[in-house]
Amino acid sequence: MRHLRRVPQLGRPADQRKAMLRGLTTQLIREGRVTTTKARAKALRDEVERMITLAKEGSLSSRRRAIGYIYDKQLVHALFDKAQDRYGDRQGGYTRIVRTVPRRGDNAQMAIIELV
């Protein structure tokens, strides 16, 4: 049974899953848009919104948590500088997921996740 199992497994062991989500989070914050599968996009949404919320808070402790998660240190500093201006009046919902055509080969549902 899946009672209280909120973490999407994504068909990977825990260490690979965490590394994949960290890489996708870094890429999404850097580029603003990532094309991936729908399941990965939904899992990625939680992580990106957590990082943006930390950036809006702006404390030293939240900056250290973000540096520990995002692979690029300079990207973290840029995110913390711009987050309050860009998302200051928003109470969440910093990303948008748009479904696209299925992937050739395995027919996986694809989606574009982008920052609002």
Side-chain angles (χ1 to χ4, degrees), residues 30-41:
R30 180 180 294 128
E31 298 176 8
R33 169 183 283 204
V34 173
T35 301
T36 183
T37 63
K38 184 179 167 189
R40 286 181 187 175

Side-chain angles (χ1 to χ4, degrees), residues 55-116:
K56 278 178 55 178
E57 186 179 320
S59 67
L60 178 62
S61 142
S62 61
R63 187 177 293 256
R64 286 178 176 165
R65 285 179 59 193
I67 288 173
Y69 189 80
I70 295 174
Y71 284 126
D72 188 1
K73 188 175 180 179
Q74 300 304 322
L75 184 65
V76 173
H77 294 310
L79 175 66
F80 271 68
D81 291 340
K82 297 176 185 173
Q84 189 61 35
D85 297 334
R86 188 169 179 184
Y87 301 111
D89 56 343
R90 252 182 208 274
Q91 296 297 316
Y94 311 116
T95 58
R96 173 185 306 127
I97 296 176
V98 180
R99 288 179 56 186
T100 60
V101 297
R103 180 166 57 195
R104 277 188 62 159
D106 64 351
N107 206 31
Q109 293 181 354
M110 298 298 286
I112 296 173
I113 181 168
E114 56 190 2
L115 295 175
V116 176

